[in-house]
Amino acid sequence: FTKQFIDSLDNIDLEHPGESEVYEELTPFIRKIIKQNKELQDSMEEQKSQREEFKLITENMQEGFIVIDKSTKILSYNTSALKLFGADFDVEQKSVMLLNRTPEFINGINKSLNGVHNEYIITVGERICNIYVNPVFDKNKVAGAIIIVTDVTEKEERENLRREFTANVSHELKTPLTSISGIAE
């Protein structure tokens, strides 16, 4: 009898438990399995929906967005981040250090994994990028970091043009002002 009962349990299709032929005494057990399957399926659908919503939001950002765990493995990213770093390979579950090996970048990642927010500018190819790295805490322990990368190349070029213009204007005005000052004296 025990062997028949165990065989009956072994033959339950956990995907479709209502279709399995079992002893009448197992009906409450089967109902519980059906209920748990339904709850699990609902939870997975909700999680999938949230993941798709998150991806939709991050993929439409111009800024690069990367989430890493405490061992520097990339958990999530958007395509803007790959473009800004010039990466043309799949980086999921690889170290973020593969994207950039400059001392500033590595130091910034290490600081954030030690719990310190930091911001710095690095040069990536011909681009100038502003990097924001924020630690992510779970129960007062650092669980990873969020990295936001913005392209500030145009801003820096405009700032350089402004400085150059100011220097040229001051230089060009010095000569006539010196002459005027000399004549006035």
Side-chain angles (χ1 to χ4, degrees), residues 79-120:
T79 54
S80 294
L82 297 184
K83 287 179 188 174
L84 289 169
F85 281 113
D88 57 354
F89 54 91
D90 182 30
V91 296
E92 188 104 23
Q93 294 298 314
K94 294 184 179 151
S95 175
V96 72
M97 304 302 184
L98 292 175
L99 295 176
N100 191 289
R101 295 180 192 264
T102 61
E104 297 90 1
F105 186 73
I106 293 169
N107 187 35
I109 298 297
N110 289 333
K111 276 184 183 178
S112 72
L113 293 176
N114 287 322
V116 179
H117 161 79
N118 58 96
E119 173 184 342
Y120 49 93

Side-chain angles (χ1 to χ4, degrees), residues 4 6 9 30 38 60 66 70-71 75 80 85 87-88 92 96 109 120 167 179:
Q4 288 176 341
I6 297 292
L9 285 175
I30 295 297
K38 175 72 173 135
N60 288 301
I66 303 170
K70 61 184 175 184
S71 66
L75 303 175
S80 294
F85 281 113
D88 57 354
E92 188 104 23
V96 72
I109 298 297
Y120 49 93
S179 298

